[in-house]
Amino acid sequence: MAKYLDYTSPKTKFTADVNKSRLFTKDSNNYINVLGIAQLNTLENVSLLDIYISKNNVVEPHVHQNAAELVYCISGAATVSLLNPFTKQIQNYPITPGQVANVPQGWWHYEVATTDNTHLLAIFDAKTPEVILGSDLLRLTPPDLMAHTYCMDVNTWKKATAPIKESVFIGPSKNCNRNQQPAHYGNYEQNYQGGYAPHASAYQKGYPVHSQYTQGY
């Protein structure tokens, strides 16, 4: 039990409807629901994301700096990919219903749906997982700093990152007009056996996301 909680209070909640707790919506087939302590105040060191994605959609590269993540496949199929900071290799783990992939705390990772109607449950060992999104790193780090650090032309960098106007969560974005076949994401369908910045608290009311991310949240 949580010592700080008054279990006799009428404000103490023991149930919640995750379907009414939307974190992000790309479209009717690609969206994420959230359950954390903000939605259910009796939670201790557990929270979850209920993820729906269609084929070739990507839960963008990101880091959970305060929690490990266990990804369980409910339906469809996906590949969970992570960057092992010890081997410096991307490890890809295809999962289908009933299978899981584990992402240690602070590891750079992403998920790619390999079939339509994919449903994943991401379970965290924290009452509110925090997140650092790749899209936020790219759009919020000063372009001149990135170009200088990696010996690039600053205008080339600005042009390359210009389409990233907001936090992506699920990519490609709806307004992506790229006329090409989906990339192979580093051969994500193979199973290889052989993270990254400003602190951002997510999946709670304090997270600075746009209004369309928090509808029903």
Side-chain angles (χ1 to χ4, degrees), residues 13-27:
K13 298 179 181 180
F14 297 94
T15 186
D17 188 346
V18 178
N19 296 304
K20 297 179 180 179
S21 184
R22 185 64 55 87
L23 172 68
F24 173 81
T25 301
K26 174 181 174 179
D27 54 39

Side-chain angles (χ1 to χ4, degrees), residues 91-107:
Q91 298 173 191
N92 303 295
Y93 300 101
I95 55 175
T96 55
Q99 297 180 333
V100 301
N102 188 50
V103 182
Q105 178 179 336
W107 285 29

